[in-house]
Amino acid sequence: MLIGVPKEIKNHEYRIGLTPSSVRELVGYGHQVIVQKDGGTAIGFTDDMYEQAGAKIIDTPEEIFASADMIVKVKEPQPHECEMLRPGQVLYTYLHLAPDPKQTELLVKSGATCIAYETVTDRFGGLPLLAPMSEVAGRMSVQCGAHHLEKAQGGLGVLLGGVPGVAPAKVLIIGGGVVGTNAAKMALGMGADVTILDRSLPRLRQLDDIFGGAVRTEYSTNDAIEKHALEADLVVGAVLIPGAAAPKLLSRDIISRMKKGAVVVDVAIDQGGCFETSKATTHQEPTYVVDGVVHYCVANMPGGVARTSTMALNNATLPYAVALANKGAKKALLDDANLLEGLNVHAGMVTYKAVADVLGYEFIDPKLALQKMAEAEGAIA
Ligand SMILES: NC(=O)C1=CN([C@@H]2O[C@H](COP(=O)(O)OP(=O)(O)OC[C@H]3O[C@@H](n4cnc5c(N)ncnc54)[C@H](O)[C@@H]3O)[C@@H](O)[C@H]2O)C=CC1
Ligand SMILES: CC(=O)C(=O)O
Ligand SMILES: [Mg+2]
């Protein structure tokens, strides 16, 4: 298979779909890999390293999209990239389609086979290709929150850990999954007073086992959210309903009654955000203020630590990339029910229910969709 790796084009996005080590693995299986010139240079993966791993360096994304059988990326394709996709071509990347009708429409129109990292599952019910970036974003959320709590950054002027004689800051984490747990680890490490809310009792039990009495866990009701948000210096939004748009848990009314200079970090912004006042921001301009509350809503937080993130992401995505390349997408997807959960769009059909439901498309069962498109089969097998 010919595998293409274009350079990422979102604002300050320096991650890349494949590391040189991953290229070497794929080439070892007999595949060809083409990588866009300077695709990884910013994070120390030079063109020379890619060539030594067996890749060919290509000047433009147009050449890569025109020839590759499978495109491996990090972030959702931007409109120009969507327009270059074609029927039978495989796209393997984050998509986050539920809050993004425009991208969904373009991917449906492209006829391509689009596999979203964030909806691939594992046999324990986890999201193995989202988890590494959630670990990064969870850890970063507290680092960024602490930074923006500084007075010169627009914050309240509060040190997370306090000092002897001054109480630590109150950190509220809504959603105690991978992001929430990693946020809690950082916040605790910095000495903050941490509360985690979740809707899942089994998850709250696990959190209690992980952290013991060091964090407060509470069932996530509107009452609990309001009570803790009004006391909080930092709120981290970390909920997920897989594939679906995030529920709006922190209302404008509550935000308007929070401490002036408090910081809210909406990590769930890539699924539309879980605060009513959230809108996606970039690394270049990460924050804005609503009712005196500093909002940090960067939709590609791990891009800020792109070298760590690229390596962590590849540890998780490589085995599936190898399966897709070795078996062909159709067989790889049909052989592995967990990978099949990643199929969001195929040959013009929306094959992920939560996306179809929220955006008003007919949901086509992914197995059926793969069998249906006889003409695409030849091209992707
Ligand atoms: N902005 C960025 O750069 C990044 C964003 N993310 C996003 O962060 C979000 C969280 O991801 P993960 O932690 O991996 O998901 P996860 O599935 O591990 O955890 C989500 C948690 O939210 C809980 N939850 C659901 N509804 C809730 C409610 N009403 N109240 C409280 N808790 C509720 C679930 O029970 C679960 O424990 C996702 O939207 C993910 O896409 C992840 C990485 C980077
Ligand atoms: C998960 C995601 O959106 C990111 O890593 O940018
Ligand atoms: Mg998007």
Side-chain angles (χ1 to χ4, degrees), residues 32-376:
Q32 292 171 280
V33 182
I34 51 178
V35 176
Q36 190 179 336
K37 188 171 165 23
D38 284 330
T41 307
I43 54 169
F45 297 142
T46 62
D47 291 351
D48 276 354
M49 290 164 80
Y50 280 106
E51 279 176 336
Q52 273 166 28
K56 194 171 163 206
I57 300 298
I58 300 286
D59 281 338
T60 66
E62 285 76 13
E63 292 166 275
I64 291 177
F65 277 84
S67 57
D69 301 307
M70 172 162 74
I71 300 286
V72 181
K73 272 178 54 64
V74 178
K75 287 310 286 181
E76 67 275 5
Q78 302 303 295
H80 178 57
E81 294 176 313
C82 291
E83 278 152 18
M84 290 190 283
L85 290 166
R86 59 185 147 74
Q89 194 168 41
V90 178
L91 173 67
Y92 181 50
T93 191
Y94 286 116
L95 295 177
H96 303 294
L97 292 179
D100 197 343
K102 174 82 183 150
Q103 189 204 162
T104 307
E105 187 191 330
L106 290 173
L107 292 185
V108 165
K109 214 166 119 191
S110 76
T113 298
C114 307
I115 303 166
Y117 293 159
E118 74 275 9
T119 63
V120 173
T121 53
D122 62 25
R123 63 199 166 90
F124 312 107
L127 302 168
L129 305 193
L130 181 63
M133 296 304 91
S134 292
E135 289 167 345
V136 171
R139 290 175 184 219
M140 278 182 83
S141 66
V142 172
Q143 192 172 307
C144 297
H147 177 64
H148 290 286
L149 274 169
E150 290 175 18
K151 204 65 216 158
Q153 306 304 323
L156 185 53
V158 161
L159 184 64
L160 274 195
V163 287
V166 180
K170 293 199 169 177
V171 176
L172 169 63
I173 300 169
I174 310 176
V178 182
V179 168
T181 304
N182 281 275
K185 283 183 181 169
M186 290 298 115
L188 274 181
M190 292 168 92
D193 173 337
V194 182
T195 301
I196 310 179
L197 307 181
D198 204 291
R199 270 278 156 111
S200 155
L201 281 180
R203 188 60 199 157
L204 289 173
R205 287 192 186 102
Q206 285 169 340
L207 290 167
D208 190 61
D209 286 342
I210 295 169
F211 293 110
V215 304
R216 201 173 297 108
T217 57
E218 265 184 51
Y219 189 71
S220 177
T221 57
N222 288 328
D223 267 350
I225 290 172
E226 177 168 5
K227 171 172 158 252
H228 290 289
L230 294 182
E231 291 174 359
D233 300 288
L234 170 61
V235 180
V236 176
V239 301
L240 176 66
I241 296 163
K248 303 287 178 210
L249 299 176
L250 204 54
S251 65
R252 171 89 192 239
D253 170 54
I254 295 177
I255 297 250
S256 71
R257 290 185 285 127
M258 283 177 64
K259 291 181 199 169
K260 303 301 166 204
V263 175
V264 294
V265 176
D266 197 346
V267 185
I269 190 66
D270 57 352
Q271 294 293 145
C274 61
F275 309 148
E276 191 183 350
T277 42
S278 296
K279 59 176 198 276
T281 58
T282 62
H283 286 290
Q284 200 167 332
E285 220 171 303
T287 60
Y288 60 94
V289 177
V290 177
D291 295 337
V293 173
V294 180
H295 288 56
Y296 177 103
C297 304
V298 175
N300 58 333
M301 290 174 72
V305 289
R307 188 173 162 90
T308 301
S309 298
T310 296
M311 292 191 280
L313 181 61
N314 269 247
N315 290 343
T317 54
L318 179 64
Y320 299 96
V322 167
L324 289 163
N326 284 355
K327 297 180 176 182
K330 185 184 169 201
K331 181 160 170 39
L333 287 161
L334 290 175
D335 278 359
D336 181 345
N338 293 124
L339 180 59
L340 188 62
E341 295 266 9
L343 189 65
N344 276 227
V345 175
H346 171 62
M349 292 168 271
V350 176
T351 53
Y352 197 84
K353 192 162 185 328
V355 172
D357 288 352
V358 75
L359 296 179
Y361 287 88
E362 184 189 357
F363 164 65
I364 309 287
D365 178 82
K367 244 187 209 160
L368 232 140
L370 285 167
Q371 279 148 6
K372 231 176 178 180
M373 276 306 292
E375 62 269 37

